[in-house]
Amino acid sequence: MKIATYNVNGINGRLPVLLRWLEEAQPDIVCLQELKAPQERFPIDAINAAGYNAIWHGQKSWNGVAILARDMEITEVQRSLPGDPEDQQSRYIEAIINQIVICCLYLPNGNPYPGPKFDYKLSWIKRLKKRTNQFIDMDLPAILIGDFNIIPTPLDVYKPERWEDNALYRIEVRKAYQQLLKKGWLDSIRSLYPDEQIFTFWDYLYKSYDRNAGMRLDHILLSPYIAGRLSGGNVDKHVRGWEKSSDHAPVWISLE
């Protein structure tokens, strides 16, 4: 089974790119972030025509998450991260597919640091840890997947010394990410490529993609119950080079 995440950076504007990639890569489950479309403007007809069922939580102009599945039923669990009933941002959707809990997330960026956006990011991570600890404690097959907006280590960014005061790389968020791993979550791509510099995002400015001046922001974490099924994975970097593509590239893993 092939499971992927892709920050599409505007699903309607980049729909041809998404459909092209779906046809080429043929993933079984796909988590999307940054739909940037209200609920009623999600292109469900085109997604269905490509062979996928979908659930989604849209938001006008910003955020938005979705889960797609090919030839499998999607049972929605919830479409917001528990812990803050006042939070109206569309950043989390959770479902069960093929007896696996799929948690599609678009973690807050947090910039500028310091400030309320960074505080919101830390509180969001705290809520995420509380929810996902339940999966570990119950020994469930679960996947945390999406755009974490976290650069985990110096290996995961071009020129890390430039990012010390950026909310993507602040020590607080890197420690929070490591705490997830210590709880038992497996960083699937890093486990497959322990020493390689792998990026999933390249800014549109300064020819970042051409220079491979990127960062790794998109992650797929596996609970201990399912981690042993990991058989492969990679980043479809070439998709970032397509015309009118997102500034992120799709990331995927395969499970036995």
Side-chain angles (χ1 to χ4, degrees):
M1 183 164 57
K2 187 174 184 179
I3 303 171
T5 181
Y6 189 15
N7 179 322
V8 291
N9 193 14
I11 191 167
N12 288 304
R14 304 190 201 280
L15 185 59
V17 173
L18 173 62
L19 296 176
R20 177 183 174 186
W21 171 71
L22 289 174
E23 176 65 25
E24 175 188 278
Q26 295 287 304
D28 298 295
I29 298 173
V30 184
C31 290
L32 303 176
Q33 305 85 42
E34 273 203 277
L35 304 180
K36 294 183 176 178
Q39 189 72 8
E40 66 275 10
R41 291 206 59 219
F42 184 84
I44 186 59
D45 291 342
I47 297 298
N48 288 162
Y52 289 86
N53 304 316
I55 62 171
W56 66 96
H57 186 196
Q59 185 173 347
K60 185 179 180 180
S61 302
W62 306 103
N63 306 323
V65 285
I67 301 176
L68 283 53
R70 186 177 59 178
D71 300 324
M72 289 181 287
E73 182 179 350
I74 306 173
T75 302
E76 183 176 323
V77 177
Q78 56 191 345
R79 55 179 53 209
S80 61
L81 184 63
D84 184 359
E86 305 263 328
D87 187 359
Q88 299 299 311
Q89 296 194 30
S90 176
R91 294 184 173 276
Y92 183 88
I93 192 166
E94 182 183 311
I96 298 173
I97 304 174
N98 198 25
Q99 300 183 325
I100 301 172
V101 181
I102 304 292
C103 304
C104 173
L105 61 95
Y106 176 44
L107 204 144
N109 178 288
N111 280 304
Y113 166 84
K117 291 185 177 181
F118 187 72
D119 296 339
Y120 171 62
K121 179 173 191 169
L122 293 182
S123 67
W124 206 95
I125 294 173
K126 185 176 180 179
R127 289 159 53 201
L128 179 67
K129 286 161 60 176
K130 183 175 180 180
R131 175 59 179 162
T132 58
N133 283 347
Q134 296 174 335
F135 305 139
I136 300 291
D137 295 340
M138 295 173 67
D139 204 17
L140 292 177
I143 302 178
L144 311 184
I145 176 170
D147 179 356
F148 282 63
N149 269 316
I150 296 175
I151 303 167
T153 72
L155 186 61
D156 298 306
V157 64
Y158 174 78
K159 294 189 175 180
E161 65 276 5
R162 296 183 177 180
W163 294 86
E164 293 292 343
D165 286 328
N166 189 288
L168 304 177
Y169 191 63
R170 279 293 305 171
I171 188 65
E172 296 93 333
V173 297
R174 285 188 282 148
K175 283 184 176 179
Y177 189 87
Q178 292 303 317
Q179 287 168 357
L180 283 170
L181 304 188
K182 289 178 181 178
K183 185 68 178 180
W185 295 97
L186 178 73
D187 183 334
S188 55
I189 294 299
R190 181 51 67 210
S191 73
L192 292 167
Y193 306 96
D195 302 314
E196 292 187 34
Q197 191 171 58
I198 294 176
F199 300 145
T200 66
F201 169 91
W202 298 261
D203 200 299
Y204 291 125
L205 301 174
Y206 314 119
K207 296 186 177 181
S208 297
Y209 178 71
D210 295 335
R211 298 185 295 114
N212 198 31
M215 59 190 73
R216 190 169 74 100
L217 299 176
D218 307 87
H219 310 305
I220 305 176
L221 306 189
L222 307 179
S223 72
Y225 188 93
I226 203 173
R229 293 175 55 186
L230 179 66
S231 59
N234 215 323
V235 179
D236 286 345
K237 179 181 176 181
H238 66 285
V239 176
R240 173 62 179 82
W242 291 352
E243 186 177 359
K244 296 183 179 179
S245 185
S246 169
D247 42 11
H248 293 252
V251 183
W252 60 271
I253 62 166
S254 53
L255 299 179
E256 294 179 344

